[in-house]
Amino acid sequence: MSSHGPAIPMTSHPVRGLTGTAHVPGDKSISHRALILGALAVGETRITDLLEGEDVLRTAQAMRAFGAEVTDHGGGSWSVHGVGVGGFAEPEDVVDCGNSGTGVRLIIGAMATSPITATFTGDASLRSRPMGRVTDPIALFGARAVGRAGGRLPLTVTGAADPLPVRYRVPMPSAQVKSAVLLAGLNAPGDTVVIEAEATRDHTERMLAGFGATVSVETTPEGRVITLTGQPELKPQTIAVPRDPSSAAFPVCAALITEGSDVLVPNIGLNPTRAGLYETLIEMGADLVYENPREVGGEPVADLRARFSPALKGIDVPPERAASMIDEYPILSVVAACAEGTTRMTGVKELRVKESDRIDAMARGLEANGVTVEEGEDWWAVHGRGPGGTPGGGTVAARLDHRIAMSFLCLGMAARKPVKVDDAGPIATSFPVFEPLMTALGARLQGPDR
Ligand code: S3P
């Protein structure tokens, strides 16, 4: 896959405006969960609009390795014939999750209470990311894990033969950890309780309930308390995956900062646990409208209309909003570079352990393009150059991080000079049609062959 193959350098040239309609792919978080819960249900789950990015394809492959029958029917339509809770088989080979932290952490949770052993690995980015955050809680169920220093991949997990239910307070804001514990709780008898101090994306809770599990959520002074009753029989579902708000962020933000732009991004899921970026952009003065707001499958959905916004101003982004926009800080910092004044982002320590250290990757890349950045361990500030004021002209290291690559290609559309990223290959993990989609809007992206 391209994140392991030769680098694909790409240059984004300044353009006069982005216009048209951008149909972004299905939601990555929901796609992983649909495959995993489909694999744990009894019978056939049908999925439409599955994100066919490398991360999700790795999870599909992994579910096959654990014994589910996963079929690609073409055009984003998939089916999963599940093995039932507790029915996972032992994989015959190492499970390679590629670049995907969500994939590996959720799958480790899902197999941790079955009496099987599996070894997990991933690409250089994933092998550098902390796994103690999932191996600690699965040990409470009785699972054992042996990895490299710091619990890093490759990592071998032996699931608990006689799992005990747990009560676990997630020590950092992380939907992946919360989900890993809930998925492990599926095959433990009795109630597993997960407490999160700050609300993170709630797709796992919603989908578990959709598959027929008994799951309750209570908001208490100590946070959200999620209680799952173990050993349910999950009933297969028909799942229409909504479009990904984290992918929509790229055409939306590129339009806001590029003079002459007017872009429509239809059918975007605006679950409040995911919509923090859009709230922030509106506070900054973005010309961003939610058209045709409606409910689809119990989730708020709207068509996003973004136009060039000459009045963008820097703001302080409140730390309590971080979880609802954690994947969007890279592209937000590009918008901040094109705004007047300073944008301060606080309470964002988790950015340091994503596909790359995203504070460092964005700070170095913005500096290479003439933008001043200040940073600390859990905060950073971007000093905006105003609309049309970002010099550009720099080359940026994408560090095997799709969102870093896409963010700087968007900056190049609005900067004075082109912006180059050293490797656009990782974009295929989450947004495989980024290049044709942005090109159709008017972007000028020059890859190695052109
Ligand atoms: C995700 C949770 C977030 C996010 C990731 C997807 C998920 O990670 O950054 O892209 O689908 O649960 P953390 O749980 O590490 O915050």
Side-chain angles (χ1 to χ4, degrees):
M1 294 204 176
S2 60
S3 50
H4 298 258
I8 304 171
M10 191 170 280
T11 301
S12 176
H13 294 268
V15 291
R16 285 183 187 282
L18 300 165
T19 51
T21 300
H23 294 283
V24 302
D27 191 280
K28 179 153 73 75
S29 294
I30 294 176
S31 295
H32 283 295
R33 288 160 171 81
L35 290 168
I36 295 169
L37 286 182
L40 291 170
V42 177
E44 188 175 83
T45 287
R46 306 285 304 197
I47 309 169
T48 52
D49 288 332
L50 187 84
L51 167 63
E52 293 176 341
E54 287 173 7
D55 280 11
V56 174
L57 297 178
R58 295 278 186 180
T59 290
Q61 196 53 34
M63 290 303 98
R64 290 187 183 115
F66 282 99
E69 207 177 292
V70 182
T71 310
D72 175 3
H73 299 281
S77 175
W78 289 63
S79 61
V80 184
H81 209 98
V83 294
V85 168
F88 270 174
E90 189 165 272
E92 285 181 12
D93 203 348
V94 172
V95 177
D96 185 346
C97 290
N99 190 252
S100 182
T102 306
V104 76
R105 292 186 177 125
L106 267 55
I107 296 167
I108 287 175
M111 59 75 60
T113 45
S114 292
I116 54 174
T117 294
T119 299
F120 297 89
T121 193
D123 70 5
S125 158
L126 192 57
R127 290 196 309 273
S128 73
R129 298 179 67 185
M131 293 298 144
R133 54 180 57 199
V134 287
T135 55
D136 288 351
I138 65 168
L140 304 174
F141 287 96
R144 284 178 293 123
V146 182
R148 292 190 303 131
R152 289 182 162 70
L153 303 179
L155 171 81
T156 297
V157 180
T158 298
D162 294 305
L164 304 165
V166 310
R167 183 181 176 87
Y168 190 70
R169 180 189 302 275
V170 183
M172 70 289 289
S174 171
Q176 292 174 1
V177 176
K178 169 179 69 177
S179 302
V181 179
L182 289 171
L183 292 172
L186 272 178
N187 199 34
D191 285 354
T192 285
V193 180
V194 185
I195 302 150
E196 58 177 3
E198 293 167 49
T200 64
R201 67 192 67 194
D202 61 357
H203 307 302
T204 303
E205 299 91 299
R206 286 177 188 249
M207 209 183 279
L208 278 168
F211 272 85
T214 302
V215 54
S216 68
V217 182
E218 234 185 310
T219 305
T220 72
E222 54 173 352
R224 283 178 84 241
V225 179
I226 305 144
T227 305
L228 170 73
T229 304
Q231 299 183 325
E233 177 169 311
L234 297 181
K235 294 180 189 54
Q237 297 299 298
T238 299
I239 299 172
V241 179
R243 312 269 168 166
D244 197 324
S246 298
S247 296
F250 296 101
V252 163
C253 290
L256 298 177
I257 60 176
T258 306
E259 197 170 344
S261 297
D262 185 349
V263 166
L264 186 70
V265 191
N267 297 319
I268 302 307
L270 291 169
N271 177 317
T273 63
R274 296 287 296 281
L277 170 74
Y278 300 109
E279 213 178 315
T280 302
L281 293 171
I282 289 167
E283 279 175 21
M284 292 173 80
D287 184 349
L288 172 65
V289 182
Y290 293 0
E291 293 187 346
N292 192 16
R294 56 206 182 269
E295 277 226 345
V296 179
E299 296 268 357
V301 166
D303 306 330
L304 299 177
R305 175 95 183 258
R307 297 183 186 89
F308 173 59
S309 303
L312 285 171
K313 279 186 231 22
I315 63 164
D316 287 356
V317 184
E320 60 275 11
R321 198 180 291 160
S324 68
M325 54 179 289
I326 195 66
D327 290 336
E328 282 67 73
Y329 283 95
I331 188 63
L332 175 68
S333 69
V334 164
V335 175
C338 300
E340 293 289 355
T342 298
T343 296
R344 281 189 187 75
M345 296 161 274
T346 50
V348 291
K349 193 164 75 198
E350 279 292 304
L351 291 177
R352 297 218 179 259
V353 290
K354 294 294 178 188
E355 286 82 332
S356 67
D357 174 341
R358 285 184 170 159
I359 296 179
D360 191 61
M362 288 307 300
R364 303 294 80 77
L366 287 169
E367 284 164 1
N369 286 287
V371 180
T372 306
V373 177
E374 290 173 84
E375 70 183 278
E377 189 46 33
D378 69 344
W379 65 273
W380 54 318
V382 175
H383 298 288
R385 301 291 304 241
T390 303
T395 297
V396 175
R399 306 188 191 187
L400 288 180
D401 189 331
H402 53 135
R403 298 198 201 280
I404 301 301
M406 288 187 279
S407 295
F408 282 104
L409 292 173
C410 290
L411 180 65
M413 298 167 202
R416 293 192 177 152
K417 289 195 191 137
V419 174
K420 180 174 177 181
V421 298
D422 68 343
D423 185 11
I427 293 172
T429 61
S430 70
F431 200 159
V433 296
F434 176 81
E435 184 185 356
L437 180 145
M438 295 305 298
T439 302
L441 296 177
R444 284 179 56 218
L445 299 173
Q446 187 187 5
D449 301 323
R450 271 144 282 174

